[in-house]
Every structure is written in structure tokens, then in C-alpha cells.
Amino acid sequence: MNNTVLPPAEPASEQLTGLSMVEWAAALRERRLTAVDCLELHLERIAQANPGLNAVVTLNPLAREEAEAADEAASVGRFLGPLHGVPFTVKDTLATRGLRTTAGSPLLGDYVPEQSATAVRRLQEAGAVLLGKGNCSEFAVETHSRNPVFGDTWNPWDTRLTSGGSTGGDSAAVASGMSAFGLGTDFGGSIRWPAHCTGITSLRPTPGLVPETGLLPYIPPADGSLPAPNSMSALHRLGTVAWLARSVDDLGVLLGILAGPDGVDPSTVPVPLGGPVDSLAGITAAWFEDEGTFPVRDDLVAAVRGAAEVLEGLGVPVTHGRPPGLERAAAAFVALRTAEGMPEVVKLATDREDQLGSNLRTSLLGGTPGTVVQYRRAAAERDDIRTQVLGFMEEHNILLLPVASVPASDPRIGSFTVKGKDIPWTELGSCCRAISVLGFPVAVVPCGVSEEGLPVGIQVVGRPYRDREVLAVAAALERSFGRFSPPQFSYRRAD
């Protein structure tokens, strides 16, 4: 288990890649280092690691000013909040005031928002220092973080491999020590697959807890405001702002800061989450090998089985079995996403279609828009599946399953054979999509390594608005398997 604490002497940046956000915050509050020192350590780390990873694509020129303001406040005994002076990165699909926000698309290559997304603003109000923007796939569509503006992001465990998508930039930044935590989003697995690829933790909260105000794609209003997210959109009904960090404790602190209505996003609900759950008493669980359509490699299944055995050893009743209807869930997600399309991107691309990346241009502009009837049919299918799974979870409160069929892989490989079945790259995350369509909270926590020695994360899924319960189970697994330990990697790109 990694029990790293900040040494009293001034450290070099490469010694601090395993520190959690909570440990950084404690060191800053206890004045063991200043916010400017902390910022410089992270900028040093970016200078070392980013050339080989291409994770941080835009630096915040006001970061030093933010850190200096934090130090000035601390000098008179005033701390700006629970994240006082802690540096973080933000996925390039979330608006940042005065800082270029492209969503990885030439269509928004020059977009500089006049306001920050609500989640970004809340983190800064809690004292965090915005380092810059993390790379992503164009409009967060692909499962590898590459786009026509900034190119590919690579994995600190092996720079021939993906760091995941679409929040791959923040994933690589957090895993390599360039950022204390990363703010991103998750629609079909965009925070969970990256966490699995790089061996860190993540939380996709119950959709509706955290406002999505400032999440692209949207048409930037002429007055510089941020439009209200569409409450009937599949993206906003099933997706959510989400985050990556190096410990489960970090995830819980961020949940407390980010949750709650903002008066703009009509889908955000004022649900009291309560404090951390300290006991597993009364919790029951079920584990299963896959979501029912695409198989998962045996070594990844073994990680899920191992997590189930740990919970059993802690007194949690655990059964082996998949919820009824889940085998239809990934297809229901795809049906909803396809029926809706991406109308904002289509509008942005009008008369500029050639500026879209080739993959997105083919998938977005080559099909026929869905109808309301198709959307309603897909939504009804989703509701039926959700009802069945909720019924199952009355007896089995927590679900344990893989994140993906394989560990982090080379994005240049188009498909994989698992247990005799061909799995296209685009279907590697079917386990994530099956959970997305349900709208349940889910954490990813590393629970072992693959046969290649790569990290393996598992999904810990709970009932709606029982996010604290999910984190309690994830924390118990983290204590057993050990907290994130940073990889040793070459800063030079390996071709």
C-alpha cells in the first residue's frame, strides 16, 4: 500500500507523483509548502512528462496569480477553502473563463469562454488552482484521446498505449503527477475507461447531482453566457460531470464540493448526500464477469472476483450473478445516443464540415437524424431495463463488474479477440455503457494488474443517490489492494 506523505525537505517533482489531493491540501494548510511552491513542482513535472504524453494541451497563464493569491491569504491566517492551493486540470470540453476551450475540434479552435463551467468555478472557489486543460477526443466521442487540434495522448505506463478517452488527457496528467486531480465528464465511460487504463480512481456521480452548465457541445451565445443544458438530451440525462484522482478519499471530498443546483441546469436536484459512510454494515453485493454481450479477458475477470472475495472477507454478503435485463443495456445506450445524434455539433459544422475530424465527420454527417418516435422507443427500453436492475439491487445493493474487455491497449489496433469473439475497439467499453444507461453512481478503483503488468480497475456501482455508499465500498477495496502507485515511465514517446 502506498502511504506516501510529503517530506519536510523541499522535494523534487518526481518524488511526489503518488501524493493524493487530500495530502496536498493538508501540506498546504499546514504551511509545509506554499501554493506557489506547489504550482512550480507541478509545472516542473509538466515540463518533464508532457512532451512524451501530450496530456496537458493549454496552460493557464493566471495559475501563478491564483497561487500567489492563495499564499497572500494564508499569510494572514485565511484559507480559501478545502482545496486551498491544490493544482488541477480540466477536460477541454468544460468551459474555462479566459482560457481556450476547444473540445478538441477546429470548429472551436479559437473559443475563449467568458464564464467558467459551474463545476470549474466551484473548485476555484474552494481554493484549487487551475493548471490548464486536459486533452480529449473531438467532442468527447472516441475512446482514445486524439483530435485534429492537439493530436494523441499517451499512457504513462507505456507510451505506446492509450490513456483512455474521452478524458484521457486528465487521466494521464493525474497518473503521471502533472495534476493533483482532474475534472472531466462521463457519458458512455469517458472517466471510467481512462481510470482503468492508468490505474487511478474515478467517480461518475449519479446524473443530476452536479450541474453540467458549461459542458460542450453547445452554441456559444453572443452575450458570453453559458446556456442551460437541455433537460431532454440523452447527453445530459445520462451523462455527468465526473472526476479522476489518486485516492478514494479525494473522490469523496470533490463530491461534497461539486454537488448541488446552480440555478441554471434544470436537471440538477438538491439531494442531501450526508457525510462519508464509515461502515459496510447492511450492504450486500453481486459480481459478474461482463454485461452480457461482449466477453472480458480472464485476468480482468479475476480482478472482479478478487474484489468480491475481499468484500466477503469484510462481512459483506456477496453473490455471483448478473442483474436481469443488463444484457440489453449497452444496446439501449447506443440506441438513445444514435436517435439523438449531436445536433449542436451539426449546427456548429454548418458550411464548415471539412473542419471536423474524419471519424466524427463520417459518423455524424453520414447518417439520418433520428425521430422522436425512435427516441421514445429507446427511452422506454431503457426504463424497462432500469426497473429490472433496480429490483435486483434491492437484494444486492452494490454491483461489481469490469470496466472493459481488455486493459489499456494500442489504439492503432482495430479489434481484439477475447474468448474466441472479435471485439471492435469501439465496443471495448460495453460494460461502461451498460451502466451509463441506468443512471447509477459508479466508482472505478484499481484492484490488481493484468497479465502484462498493466493496471486493472473495476466498476463499483450503487443505487441512485447512494454515492457515499459506493465510495465506502471503493475505499474498502482500496485499503485491501493498495492505493495508486505511480508508474515508472520514459518521458520520450515510444513509437
Side-chain angles (χ1 to χ4, degrees):
M1 182 177 294
N2 187 336
N3 292 312
T4 308
V5 293
L6 190 70
E10 182 173 334
S13 66
E14 63 268 16
Q15 296 173 305
L16 300 174
T17 55
L19 285 178
S20 71
M21 179 195 80
V22 169
E23 287 170 338
W24 277 114
L28 287 157
R29 183 168 291 275
E30 294 164 12
R31 306 299 301 279
R32 284 183 275 151
L33 81 167
T34 67
V36 169
D37 290 338
C38 187
L39 174 66
E40 289 297 332
L41 284 167
H42 283 82
L43 290 174
E44 177 188 337
R45 188 64 174 170
I46 290 171
Q48 292 171 337
N50 204 52
L53 299 177
N54 191 35
V56 181
V57 293
T58 304
L59 286 172
N60 178 17
L62 299 180
R64 175 173 288 275
E65 183 179 311
E66 293 179 27
E68 289 173 346
D71 285 337
E72 183 177 350
S75 69
V76 295
R78 184 170 65 88
F79 291 88
L80 303 181
L83 302 182
H84 177 97
V86 177
F88 74 108
T89 52
V90 174
K91 184 177 183 178
D92 204 27
T93 58
L94 287 162
T96 43
R97 182 171 64 89
L99 190 63
R100 183 168 66 153
T101 301
T102 73
S105 177
L107 296 174
L108 294 168
D110 299 320
Y111 177 47
V112 178
E114 296 181 29
Q115 297 183 31
S116 287
T118 297
V120 175
R121 176 174 50 79
R122 286 179 175 174
L123 292 172
Q124 291 181 291
E125 290 172 350
V129 172
L130 175 59
L131 270 172
K133 306 303 287 286
N135 201 25
C136 60
S137 54
E138 188 174 14
F139 287 112
V141 170
E142 294 188 62
T143 51
H144 170 58
S145 292
R146 70 175 148 222
N147 61 67
V149 181
F150 300 113
D152 299 73
T153 294
W154 302 103
N155 192 322
W157 290 85
D158 183 336
T159 51
R160 296 167 298 182
L161 308 180
T162 186
S163 61
S166 57
T167 317
D170 294 275
S171 172
V174 173
S176 61
M178 289 190 274
S179 174
F181 69 94
L183 184 71
T185 62
D186 190 302
F187 181 36
S190 290
I191 211 84
R192 289 165 286 164
W193 163 241
H196 167 68
C197 286
T198 58
I200 55 180
T201 61
S202 70
L203 179 67
R204 169 192 156 98
T206 305
L209 284 181
V210 180
E212 293 189 287
T213 307
L215 169 61
L216 288 164
Y218 56 78
I219 309 300
D223 63 1
S225 64
L226 298 176
N230 189 314
S231 64
M232 297 303 293
S233 162
L235 174 65
H236 295 296
R237 296 291 292 179
L238 304 180
T240 178
V241 170
W243 44 94
L244 300 144
R246 292 194 284 265
S247 81
V248 175
D249 281 350
D250 295 353
L251 303 179
V253 171
L254 292 168
L255 176 64
I257 292 167
L258 293 168
D262 66 347
V264 180
D265 184 347
S267 299
T268 313
V269 291
V271 176
L273 293 174
V277 174
D278 299 321
S279 170
L280 301 183
I283 292 177
T284 59
W287 76 275
F288 41 100
E289 292 88 349
D290 54 56
E291 41 73 53
T293 59
F294 288 100
V296 173
R297 254 178 40 177
D298 285 339
D299 51 339
L300 276 62
V301 172
V304 184
R305 184 186 299 110
E309 291 169 352
V310 164
L311 292 185
E312 279 191 308
L314 295 172
V316 175
V318 180
T319 61
H320 176 215
R322 185 191 304 122
L326 195 67
E327 71 281 356
R328 296 153 45 206
F333 174 87
V334 173
L336 277 167
R337 184 187 65 186
T338 302
E340 179 180 49
M342 298 183 73
E344 294 88 356
V345 176
V346 172
K347 186 172 182 179
L348 282 168
T350 301
D351 298 325
R352 296 189 295 163
E353 291 85 356
D354 60 327
Q355 293 185 31
L356 281 172
S358 58
N359 289 344
L360 190 57
R361 184 165 63 247
T362 299
S363 62
L364 191 63
L365 304 179
T368 303
T371 66
V372 173
V373 171
Q374 290 171 321
Y375 190 88
R376 283 174 57 91
R377 186 183 301 122
E381 171 74 351
R382 179 253 187 181
D383 292 343
D384 181 65
I385 298 166
R386 195 169 190 263
T387 298
Q388 290 188 62
V389 177
L390 281 171
F392 181 85
M393 293 181 75
E394 289 182 7
E395 298 295 328
H396 313 286
N397 314 146
I398 294 291
L399 307 178
L400 306 176
L401 73 157
V403 174
S405 295
V406 297
S409 302
D410 188 334
R412 292 162 291 196
I413 298 174
S415 65
F416 303 83
T417 301
V418 177
K419 299 177 183 177
K421 185 167 185 176
D422 184 65
I423 304 178
W425 176 272
T426 54
E427 301 297 340
L428 291 181
S430 59
C431 283
C432 285
R433 293 173 182 171
I435 300 304
S436 289
V437 80
L438 300 174
F440 296 169
V442 51
V444 167
V445 60
C447 290
V449 295
S450 72
E451 59 188 26
E452 303 94 341
L454 294 169
V456 175
I458 72 163
Q459 294 190 81
V460 180
V461 183
R463 294 166 291 180
Y465 308 111
R466 303 290 185 94
D467 299 60
R468 295 290 191 190
E469 196 170 82
V470 168
L471 290 172
V473 174
L477 293 173
E478 182 181 71
R479 287 191 293 271
S480 177
F481 287 94
R483 209 184 75 189
F484 168 77
S485 183
Q488 298 297 317
F489 68 99
S490 169
Y491 303 134
R492 183 171 296 173
R493 171 86 179 93
D495 292 315

